[in-house]
Amino acid sequence: MSFPLNPAQKAAVEHDTGPALVLAGAGSGKTRVITQRIGRLIDQGTLPRLITALTFTNKAAEEMHERLVALCGEAGREVWISTFHALGGEIMRQTMPKNEPFVVYDGADTAGLVREIMRDFKTPDRRYDVGAIIARISHAKNAMCSPEELAAQAPDSEYDELAQWVFPRYEAALKRLRAFDFDDLILWPLKKLTEDREVRDRWRAKIRYMLVDEFQDTNRAQLMMVKALVGERGNVFCVGDDDQSIYGWRGADIGNVIDFGKHFPGAKTLALEQNYRSRKPVLDVSNSVMEGQVRAFPKKLFTDKPGGPPVKIVDTDSSEGEVKFVVDGIQKLVQEGYKKREIGVLYRSNQLARAVEEALRLTGIPYRIIGGNSVFERREVKDLIAYLRISLHPQDEIAVRRVVNYPTRGVGDVTLARLERFALVRGITLFSAIERAGEIDDINASTKESLRNFVGIVKATREKIHAHTALVDVAKSVCGAIKLKEDIVAAGPTAVAAAKRWTNVEMLYRTLEKSDAKTPGEVSQVLTRLTLRFAEEEEDQGDRVTLSTLHGSKGLEFGTVYFIGCDEGIIPHSRTENPKATDVLATIDGTEERRLFYVGVTRAKEHLYLVRAKTRSGKGPPRATTPSRFLAFPKFPPGTLERMSYDSQAPLPPQEIAAQARKFRESLLALKKK
């Protein structure tokens, strides 16, 4: 079953063999093009298992898989659709010797390891931003820069020097722990593909056609991995939009799009410019945002949807007025029957979200925040996963440190330091030292007994895994052994909070049950995949207003968008010209800030409000602001743009005062019931 395609989409879908770059403007139907391209390859006789599609999130991969199955039936299930990191992990799993288990460290594990390394960096009365150090190391790794090469560079800041000192120690620690971070899931397979012809030929034989979504978000290592996998055959079909390249700060290289023809000689370039999302006024504004910029592939979005309300630039009197304008507008929409899921509030900085969140709470309007922790990042879930990780991989010191004293068993910092010293002197792992805690004289008897219980739980869990017990049952046995539910209930400030935390554990149970993992290899694979689940992958939270950063909003769309904080210094960010010491790059790229603004504008389908505050509150007295340079639009035809002012101090009509009082009273009653 295929769907209608416009001429540009049809040309992309029907591309023959060889490399192709599809420049897909916002809302131009790129996922449809990718899935129908795969469907056409299958119709022409290509075996589905010889087709691989790569994207950046599990959510996007799952959505693409669903569409493909709807299009191609069961054949669609055989196509390998995954994230870059999941593919890298699979290459590692199939390539490494079976007797060399490994663990994947997520962001929290990585931060914990760097903190441990930093303990040896003696600087009294000074706390460093660990995230800034990790960002520099990650930036170097993605640019395929070794610790030695980084050390040879002249540092621009104190944090550059710190990264140079930490990087080799960090890599040595990962090797000792048989651990890999997210960057390694690309770099290790790339090294293997580059150096081992047998591995390279085997994987090239598995991938006859490769499709890459969001190509503008790839870094150098990911580009090299794609090149290594497609080889001379060059059947690579990359879809992206240079105008939506907004992740340069974390290593994405827009040059991968600009220089596509150099990387893949003979490449065909196609453009998708028909937008199916937004009304014409929104598109006129979005085209204007990018006009006059130096662009490798200029595009002008168009639509066959006539009419639509004008885009509104709203000058509010203050930051409080900005919030009031937005929340009042949301209330009116909801009262008129507008779906809350069709309303998005977007912002450059998370700080702007707090006041909006508080106001929505008071009005009783449900909302979700994009970029919060996923269920798989919750403490209780990570604790349970840590026990499973140790059972398979006792060298995993980060996991050992996480749960050796959970539930509380009297293992404080002093005891841990004694265990570490014992391990260091004998050249053994921390877990081995815990197993031999009875030999350490300065650990008291009760703590030794607690450590014996801890070791017993880990060994019993390992035995269950090796006995091919279903993973969900193994997890439940760990919960029972450590009395996780009882601890959650005892620690919960309220019964509701405790129930919510336990629901997170039950969700993990459901995930493990679906995996049907029983063997140690299958369990290891599942735990790796859980580590690779990113924060954007929350369950559908029903009919709620969405609050999101501009970065988090890419890929989303809403009937009505309130884009707040359209002030100079917020968008573009003040660090465009005045960087902080912790910034990885010398400055935030001003052209990338413009692309970020463009991404925010193009999320709107019908109504778009570009909202700013004439004064903003903060530390000290309110300060006057300047409109964002991105609001300097040309003169549009009538009906495209409307400027308006909003005064939050203006007196309200009596009926509105009464309505607000009633609503406030209802909200208070609802809060009391909770």
Side-chain angles (χ1 to χ4, degrees), residues 355-366:
V356 177
E357 184 182 0
E358 289 170 7
L360 288 175
R361 277 181 181 271
L362 282 175
T363 57
I365 294 175

Side-chain angles (χ1 to χ4, degrees), residues 62-116:
E62 287 161 7
E63 179 189 342
M64 199 180 294
H65 233 143
E66 288 170 7
R67 291 200 190 189
L68 191 58
V69 170
L71 181 69
C72 303
E74 288 304 305
R77 298 188 191 280
E78 297 179 45
V79 177
W80 177 271
I81 302 179
S82 79
T83 63
F84 273 92
H85 293 90
L87 176 61
E90 188 64 17
I91 294 172
M92 291 170 68
R93 191 182 70 81
Q94 293 190 25
T95 305
M96 281 189 171
K98 299 296 182 186
N99 61 349
E100 289 188 21
F102 65 91
V103 65
V104 177
Y105 277 3
D106 65 10
D109 298 327
T110 298
L113 182 57
V114 171
R115 286 191 188 96
E116 285 300 314

Side-chain angles (χ1 to χ4, degrees), residues 109 166 172 237 253 514 662:
D109 298 327
V166 171
F237 185 88
D253 187 353
K514 287 178 187 174
R662 185 169 60 255

Side-chain angles (χ1 to χ4, degrees), residues 109-336:
D109 298 327
T110 298
L113 182 57
V114 171
R115 286 191 188 96
E116 285 300 314
I117 294 168
M118 288 292 293
R119 285 167 61 184
D120 295 330
F121 191 84
K122 308 294 189 214
T123 305
D125 303 323
R126 178 71 194 273
R127 295 183 67 178
Y128 291 98
D129 184 336
V130 170
I133 299 169
I134 293 170
R136 281 166 169 76
I137 292 173
S138 178
H139 201 270
K141 291 178 79 165
N142 286 328
M144 302 174 71
C145 174
S146 69
E148 295 75 23
E149 288 169 330
L150 186 66
Q153 296 177 11
D156 290 328
S157 70
E158 180 183 18
Y159 274 94
D160 290 342
E161 291 183 35
L162 274 171
Q164 290 173 329
W165 184 85
V166 171
F167 193 7
R169 292 164 175 81
Y170 172 72
E171 291 293 282
L174 287 175
K175 188 174 181 180
R176 174 174 57 83
L177 299 169
R178 294 186 205 165
F180 296 90
D181 62 20
F182 281 168
D183 297 323
D184 292 325
L185 292 179
I186 305 298
L187 294 169
W188 193 96
L190 175 57
K191 188 172 187 292
K192 197 72 176 174
L193 289 165
T194 304
E195 297 176 355
D196 191 324
R197 182 174 180 175
E198 183 184 343
V199 171
R200 183 169 64 250
D201 289 347
R202 187 165 74 245
W203 275 92
R204 285 181 179 177
K206 289 176 186 245
I207 302 174
R208 184 170 180 80
Y209 289 93
M210 175 174 281
L211 300 93
V212 183
D213 190 17
E214 305 286 8
F215 187 69
Q216 77 280 350
D217 294 339
T218 54
N219 58 39
R220 186 187 173 201
Q222 287 161 337
L223 169 70
M224 299 301 290
M225 182 177 175
V226 169
K227 291 178 71 172
L229 287 168
V230 300
E232 294 77 20
R233 189 186 293 131
N235 286 329
V236 61
F237 185 88
C238 296
V239 181
D241 183 7
D242 50 322
D243 290 341
Q244 295 186 74
S245 178
I246 58 174
Y247 292 112
W249 51 276
R250 70 179 190 195
D253 187 353
I254 194 173
N256 293 350
V257 175
I258 296 169
D259 298 327
F260 190 84
K262 295 178 183 176
H263 296 298
F264 302 98
K268 186 174 182 179
T269 302
L270 307 106
L272 307 180
E273 296 176 291
Q274 183 169 354
N275 177 284
Y276 292 92
R277 176 185 298 156
S278 307
R279 292 285 184 179
K280 190 173 184 301
V282 174
L283 290 189
D284 286 344
V285 167
S286 62
N287 284 327
S288 174
V289 170
M290 299 305 295
E291 246 173 45
Q293 303 305 300
V294 177
R295 299 153 80 191
F297 304 102
K299 295 180 293 298
K300 190 161 187 175
L301 299 179
F302 68 93
T303 181
D304 57 8
K305 292 182 179 180
V311 172
K312 294 180 174 62
I313 297 179
V314 186
D315 292 299
T316 65
D317 57 334
S318 62
S319 47
E320 294 79 11
E322 179 180 59
V323 172
K324 188 173 185 303
F325 172 79
V326 170
V327 175
D328 284 354
I330 292 173
Q331 279 186 285
K332 287 175 184 174
L333 287 172
V334 171
Q335 287 164 5
E336 292 166 5

Side-chain angles (χ1 to χ4, degrees), residues 519-549:
T519 68
E522 290 170 346
V523 171
S524 177
Q525 192 174 2
V526 168
L527 296 181
T528 297
R529 286 176 178 170
L530 285 180
T531 305
L532 292 176
R533 294 191 73 88
F534 296 110
E536 97 291 337
E537 296 171 75
E538 294 278 3
E539 285 188 304
D540 181 13
Q541 300 185 49
D543 191 24
R544 295 169 181 260
V545 173
T546 297
L547 309 185
S548 176
T549 62

